[in-house]
Amino acid sequence: GVSLYVETDFVPPFKPEKPGDIAVYLPASPDGKAVQLKKGDKTVHTYEFTVPKDGRYHFMFHAVAEKHGDLHSEAALDDDAFEPFGHLLWTHPVWAPVAPGNKFGNTLRFWDFKAGERHVLKIRSAEAAIAYDGVVMTDNPGSFEPR
């Protein structure tokens, strides 16, 4: 296989789900601005959510980094301890998996959720400056794959 990387002005749509997909969007901050993750910052960004239908869901965040590469942040679900997760980010916004415990960029993790159950996702610090402006729980992460 061969990988080709091309610089382009194309920006994928913020809400790329296909008909029939379930996608629960959460703004990164109440004022609609991007959240900044920086090394050593102890601020915890907390998101309460429910899903409309029982199923297997993945977390993604819409993020951009000051430099592209395989970076790490930390996340926790409900009462779980914070765990690092890897994500491959660029200097333009892309959807990337939020998968606590995953140490390899762009590796997905899923959770089985019941409709109406309240859950809490927490995200904090990164090894390099990262900004994200949205979080989504989806049953079809392929719709959010960087293209």
Side-chain angles (χ1 to χ4, degrees):
V2 175
S3 295
L4 294 175
Y5 297 92
V6 177
E7 292 284 332
T8 177
D9 292 334
F10 173 74
V11 177
F14 184 73
K15 296 186 175 184
E17 75 265 16
K18 297 174 184 168
D21 288 353
I22 296 175
V24 177
Y25 291 92
L26 300 170
S29 65
D31 60 8
K33 294 181 181 174
V35 163
Q36 302 292 320
L37 299 178
K38 296 177 186 169
K39 187 173 184 173
D41 186 351
K42 300 298 181 198
T43 304
V44 175
H45 305 280
T46 304
Y47 305 96
E48 292 187 25
F49 66 93
T50 61
V51 293
K53 180 179 173 186
D54 292 2
R56 181 162 284 176
Y57 291 87
H58 306 265
F59 293 105
M60 310 284 284
F61 70 163
H62 193 244
V64 61
E66 65 181 356
K67 60 179 183 174
H68 80 275
D70 190 8
L71 306 170
H72 291 85
S73 301
E74 295 183 318
L77 181 65
D78 297 329
D79 295 327
D80 294 344
F82 277 93
E83 293 184 80
F85 68 96
H87 35 79
L88 183 60
L89 294 178
W90 299 90
T91 54
H92 60 275
V94 295
W95 284 102
V98 176
N102 152 38
K103 301 197 176 37
F104 306 101
N106 281 8
T107 301
L108 291 167
R109 181 175 173 187
F110 65 84
W111 287 265
D112 291 318
F113 293 131
K114 300 276 186 205
E117 287 182 344
R118 186 158 298 282
H119 295 279
V120 177
L121 174 68
K122 296 168 275 198
I123 300 174
R124 72 177 182 196
S125 71
E127 63 189 2
I130 293 171
Y132 68 96
D133 58 1
V135 177
V136 68
M137 279 76 59
T138 181
D139 64 346
N140 184 6
S143 293
F144 296 84
E145 184 179 349
R147 306 211 188 288

